[in-house]
Amino acid sequence: MNQIKIHEASEVSRTNMSEPVIDNPGTRTPLLELRGVNKTFGAVQVLHGVDLTVYPGEVVALVGDNGAGKTTLVKSITGIYTADSGEFFFNGAPSHIKSPKDASDLGIEVVYQDLALCDNLDVVGNMFLGREKLRNGLLDEVAMERLARETLAGLNVRTVKTVRQQVSGLSGGQRQTVAIAKAVLWNSKLVILDEPTAALGVAQTSQVLRLVRELADQGLGVVLISHNMNDVLEVADRVACLYLGRMAAIVDAKTSSREQIVELITSGRSAGIGLAHAEHVQI
Amino acid sequence: MTAPVPPDPTMTSAAARAEPTLAGQDFSVDTESLTGSDVIRNYLQRFQRGGDLGLFPALLALSLLTVLFGVLRPESFLSKFNFGNYFTQAAPICVLAMGVTFVLLLGEIDLGAGYSAGVCAAILASRLKADVPLPVALLMAFAAALVMGALVGFMVAKIGVPSFIVTLSTFLSWQGILLLITRDGGTIKIENKAIVAIENKNLSVGVGWTMFVVFAAGYIGFSLLRVLSRRRQNVATTPLSIVALKSAVLVIVGGIAVHQLSAKRGNNLRGVPIVVPLVIGLMIILSFVLGRTAWGRHLYAVGGNTEAARRAGINVARMKMSAFIVGSLMSCIAGIVLASRLNSVDPQTGGNDTLLIAIGAAVIGGTSLFGGRGRIVNAVLGGLVFALINNGLPLLKKIHGIDFSAAGPKFIVNGLILLLFASIDATSRRRAAAN
């Protein structure tokens, strides 16, 4: 469950000019590996041969401008869309995800931007919604309450005072926390977070980022979609930059600058990294 | 590599490097049980800060109205005969309000619930008249309720027509069916003794007290078991003092009621009306279903946030269908009670203000029309409030030239009471939001 050093891998990417960069798998098996994923909607090709790897214990930030294909990529991973072509490996084994249920069976959970919490239920009710623990056909409140508390405590969450509180009474950061805890409650292995800090203040953002780091430190793979470069550089191990449906580069967050990532997002290449002829890329 | 790991020593170091903690100790509220005075203080704070006032407004209204009518008309309102009468008046409203609650919890509405009660009652009455055995006639009435509920549910959940429109249409159609069954305004008399007994016969004094002991012991027993089991498993629970307080109030109020009803109140008339244990039984069963089953939890979830419920894998369409069916089956029971009360079914059974009073009863009890909030016991208490108004007002007769026994003043007072309760609820919620 310790943090994994994978940063050397992306050094490779700095010399690799001509095609989207993937890091060297080395001896470790990636949790998630996508190879050459294509997706078209009618005449529009939204994803062009996208490669992506996520290792257990790391946070991969997925960045890109509006329309770069972040959402489509995530929806292809979670089974809401089916990719036209491309290979998909989970824990090293080829997988076919055709529905959201396939994804959650594999251990892939998504925390959507709008959180999908029921304000009128308490924290326990929300965390177990649709998967309530039953005993003799009735709700086993005690077991659920304990498991909810253990999960939150295991994530070092200290901001939710009681799991019996209605969600309507929680702050934005606390709600995000509950939504994330709900995602990890189910032995999930890969958690995808869609803009988790978009609507949060400074203190709450840092709470949530700490939680994101904690997930990775516990051995989960985390994909973080974000527009906020501060968040990305603070919490991510690697940054995957999408540019017009192509994976421009996957760079090491520790050695990359904010300007470099912004350049990759806006023009697809930056100082020798990225797409070879980004200016000629057709949508 | 499972995600939720129990706390282990390595993680405290992770916490140590983290930002300053923002709230108190980890879940101290969940593991340390409150004392009785804490619970009362927390509840009283809600009056200052606002929030869900629960059953309080309805209970307050019941007490104030009782005092008001009792002072103004002690000889008629406080008579034992009227006391027995009150429960039989309240029963159909309470039953219909319980059924409507299921639909309201989803944020939907059923305007046809009153007339579907009428249709079921008419089917029962006409079949009994045609010498169909009671069980078969009952089965036919409930089958009709099932079909009506499923039809409305299907239109709302699968076709996607707003429930207001669907039930506006069924409000008209069921009324038409009721007219057809009663042959354009005829009255179908009910002579079946069992059906008539529901609203017109009483339990013997002995059975009444036995029922009282069973319900009281059941309530106290289950409350105690729950508290002890939660305490044993080390999760926070209601303090025993509060359980004792609630039990004591229930036993005293219930005991006085049973005692009053057991006294002779007319020509050979004594005992608890048969409909009372029926209503209490329905209340217990339905509360249990809503509070303790996954179905009940899902109903609240769909009412609270339909999209969240759908993403959690809940079949929203099926939940809507089932809620309308449960509501419709309860309408059927309400229809039977109404028919029993009048010994007959006519085109007005379940008509007039029946439905709107039932919806008003649920709202007075604190059920939200926007869905996701409300309980069965609220509907029953709301029904009791409306029944009390409609029981007491006619007894006031003329005051300052206004004839309160007439329909005009009755409707106006009912309307004002509903408005008053809705305002109290809205004010309290606005204050809670502001804090």
Side-chain angles (χ1 to χ4, degrees):
Chain A
M1 294 288 203
N2 53 346
Q3 211 178 321
I4 303 110
K5 287 262 180 287
I6 39 86
H7 305 313
E8 303 89 323
S10 54
E11 290 301 317
V12 180
S13 65
R14 297 183 178 281
T15 58
N16 196 331
M17 291 274 297
S18 56
E19 50 187 11
V21 188
I22 47 165
D23 51 341
N24 179 4
T27 53
R28 290 185 55 85
T29 313
L31 186 58
L32 174 76
E33 186 171 3
L34 305 181
R35 288 186 203 152
V37 171
N38 289 297
K39 175 74 189 170
T40 45
F41 292 111
V44 183
Q45 184 160 10
V46 182
L47 297 177
H48 299 260
V50 170
D51 299 341
L52 178 69
T53 48
V54 181
Y55 288 89
E58 72 165 341
V59 178
V60 175
L62 184 60
V63 298
D65 216 338
N66 292 339
K70 302 188 295 290
T71 310
T72 309
L73 182 60
V74 165
K75 286 187 172 171
S76 307
I77 296 173
T78 55
I80 294 172
Y81 299 152
T82 324
D84 299 338
S85 63
E87 289 175 286
F88 193 112
F89 299 90
F90 197 79
N91 257 338
S95 314
H96 298 282
I97 297 182
K98 291 192 178 60
S99 72
K101 192 179 175 302
D102 291 347
S104 63
D105 285 350
L106 283 176
I108 301 174
E109 292 282 338
V110 195
V111 179
Y112 294 99
Q113 201 168 358
D114 55 359
L115 300 180
L117 297 176
C118 291
D119 273 0
N120 60 332
L121 299 183
D122 60 16
V123 174
V124 179
N126 268 291
M127 284 176 71
F128 286 87
L129 189 61
R131 303 188 252 199
E132 288 82 4
K133 288 207 173 300
L134 301 178
R135 205 173 61 179
N136 304 327
L138 301 175
L139 296 174
D140 190 351
E141 295 287 356
V142 172
M144 290 195 281
E145 192 173 323
R146 284 177 146 182
L147 197 49
R149 208 151 47 222
E150 275 171 21
T151 306
L152 287 167
L155 293 170
N156 282 316
V157 170
R158 285 156 174 272
T159 52
V160 179
K161 267 188 281 181
T162 160
V163 292
R164 281 294 168 201
Q165 189 175 1
Q166 276 203 354
V167 165
S168 58
L170 298 180
S171 71
Q174 289 171 326
R175 295 164 71 92
Q176 189 73 51
T177 302
V178 171
I180 295 173
K182 178 183 175 184
V184 302
L185 188 60
W186 305 103
N187 287 346
S188 49
K189 299 184 176 71
L190 179 72
V191 177
I192 300 171
L193 303 162
D194 187 6
E195 298 272 5
T197 60
L200 302 183
V202 177
Q204 297 190 338
T205 298
S206 85
Q207 275 172 40
V208 169
L209 292 181
R210 197 165 72 231
L211 181 56
V212 170
R213 193 65 250 173
E214 185 71 43
L215 295 180
D217 288 352
Q218 292 193 13
L220 277 79
V222 180
V223 175
L224 173 76
I225 300 175
S226 184
H227 272 115
N228 186 321
M229 286 308 122
N230 292 335
D231 293 0
V232 167
L233 289 173
E234 184 179 336
V235 79
D237 296 304
R238 290 185 301 145
V239 184
C241 309
L242 276 173
Y243 176 73
L244 298 179
R246 292 163 177 82
M247 190 59 79
I250 301 180
V251 298
D252 186 341
K254 299 284 181 299
T255 57
S256 304
S257 68
R258 183 192 174 85
E259 290 69 28
Q260 204 174 13
I261 295 171
V262 170
E263 226 178 316
L264 281 167
I265 293 172
T266 52
S267 61
R269 54 182 288 131
S270 167
I273 335 170
L275 301 169
H277 303 288
E279 60 275 21
H280 301 305
V281 165
Q282 299 290 310
I283 298 174
Chain B
M1 210 180 60
T2 52
V5 277
D8 67 41
T10 57
M11 273 166 23
T12 40
S13 63
R17 69 169 158 72
E19 304 290 300
T21 52
L22 292 166
Q25 292 303 302
D26 300 2
F27 311 116
S28 51
V29 186
D30 283 340
T31 41
E32 288 163 22
S33 285
L34 298 167
T35 64
S37 55
D38 287 337
V39 172
I40 293 170
R41 200 174 51 236
N42 287 348
Y43 187 76
L44 290 178
Q45 272 181 354
R46 279 198 241 166
F47 289 92
Q48 292 160 8
R49 286 202 236 135
D52 193 348
L53 298 178
L55 302 176
F56 181 79
L59 288 173
L60 184 70
L62 281 178
S63 326
L64 288 180
L65 286 168
T66 307
V67 171
L68 178 74
F69 292 135
V71 168
L72 290 174
R73 291 289 176 270
E75 68 295 337
S76 54
F77 179 74
L78 293 181
S79 72
K80 292 190 173 71
F81 176 79
N82 188 47
F83 191 58
N85 200 20
Y86 168 58
F87 286 102
T88 56
Q89 285 172 341
I93 305 176
C94 292
V95 175
L96 197 56
M98 283 192 264
V100 166
T101 299
F102 284 86
V103 176
L104 293 181
L105 275 177
L106 288 177
E108 308 282 354
I109 197 151
D110 190 351
L111 298 172
Y115 277 113
S116 64
V119 169
C120 292
I123 289 174
L124 178 76
S126 70
R127 291 305 91 200
L128 287 176
K129 203 171 182 188
D131 285 330
V132 172
L134 179 64
V136 179
L138 279 174
L139 212 62
M140 291 171 84
F142 278 106
L146 188 80
V147 171
M148 289 190 283
L151 182 74
V152 174
F154 178 81
M155 293 305 292
V156 173
K158 299 280 189 191
I159 309 291
V161 185
S163 58
F164 188 93
I165 304 297
V166 175
T167 59
L168 189 61
S169 117
T170 59
F171 169 78
L172 296 168
S173 313
W174 301 159
Q175 194 174 354
I177 294 175
L178 179 58
L179 277 168
L180 287 180
I181 300 176
T182 55
R183 301 196 196 286
D184 289 330
T187 299
I188 310 174
K189 204 164 160 42
I190 293 185
E191 290 174 16
N192 183 291
K193 287 203 172 67
I195 295 295
V196 172
I198 297 172
E199 279 276 77
N200 296 295
K201 293 277 182 250
N202 305 301
L203 301 172
S204 73
V205 172
V207 174
W209 280 111
T210 312
M211 283 273 189
F212 170 72
V213 171
V214 168
F215 280 130
Y219 177 80
I220 296 171
F222 274 110
S223 305
L224 274 182
L225 270 179
R226 184 148 188 272
V227 168
L228 294 179
S229 138
R230 286 178 70 87
R231 206 174 255 190
R232 201 174 50 242
Q233 299 179 74
N234 202 18
V235 285
T237 179
T238 329
L240 279 177
S241 52
I242 294 293
V243 172
L245 187 70
K246 281 185 180 172
S247 305
V249 170
L250 222 69
V251 166
I252 292 170
V253 173
I256 292 174
V258 174
H259 179 261
Q260 288 295 307
L261 291 170
S262 298
K264 198 164 162 33
R265 59 174 183 269
N267 200 6
N268 213 3
L269 196 62
R270 67 192 309 180
V272 178
I274 288 175
V275 76
V276 171
L278 175 78
V279 171
I280 296 176
L282 283 172
M283 185 177 89
I284 293 171
I285 294 169
L286 296 179
S287 300
F288 191 79
V289 167
L290 272 187
R292 305 291 295 276
T293 66
W295 184 83
R297 176 67 50 85
H298 294 173
L299 199 69
Y300 281 101
V302 173
N305 185 342
T306 309
E307 179 58 21
R310 201 180 55 74
R311 282 194 209 156
I314 295 168
N315 187 334
V316 172
R318 205 168 61 197
M319 291 307 298
K320 286 190 175 174
M321 291 272 286
S322 55
F324 276 104
I325 289 173
V326 171
S328 190
L329 292 175
M330 289 299 291
S331 290
C332 182
I333 298 177
I336 295 167
V337 174
L338 278 170
S340 166
R341 184 167 162 65
L342 298 175
N343 287 349
S344 66
V345 176
D346 60 42
Q348 298 307 318
T349 305
N352 291 333
D353 56 351
T354 313
L355 169 80
L356 296 178
I357 290 284
I359 293 178
V363 171
I364 276 193
T367 300
S368 165
L369 286 178
F370 299 106
R373 184 164 58 85
R375 286 158 61 198
I376 291 297
V377 62
N378 298 6
V380 174
L381 275 179
L384 289 177
V385 172
F386 266 122
L388 192 58
I389 296 166
N390 294 331
N391 172 285
L393 278 183
L395 299 176
L396 292 182
K397 305 223 172 78
K398 272 201 173 155
I399 294 180
H400 297 300
I402 303 171
D403 184 5
F404 280 97
S405 58
K410 185 188 93 169
F411 279 129
I412 293 172
V413 171
N414 277 336
L416 290 178
I417 291 281
L418 182 55
L419 202 58
L420 176 72
F421 270 90
S423 315
I424 292 172
D425 188 56
T427 312
S428 176
R429 267 165 213 292
R430 210 181 46 206
R431 196 140 29 121
N435 281 321

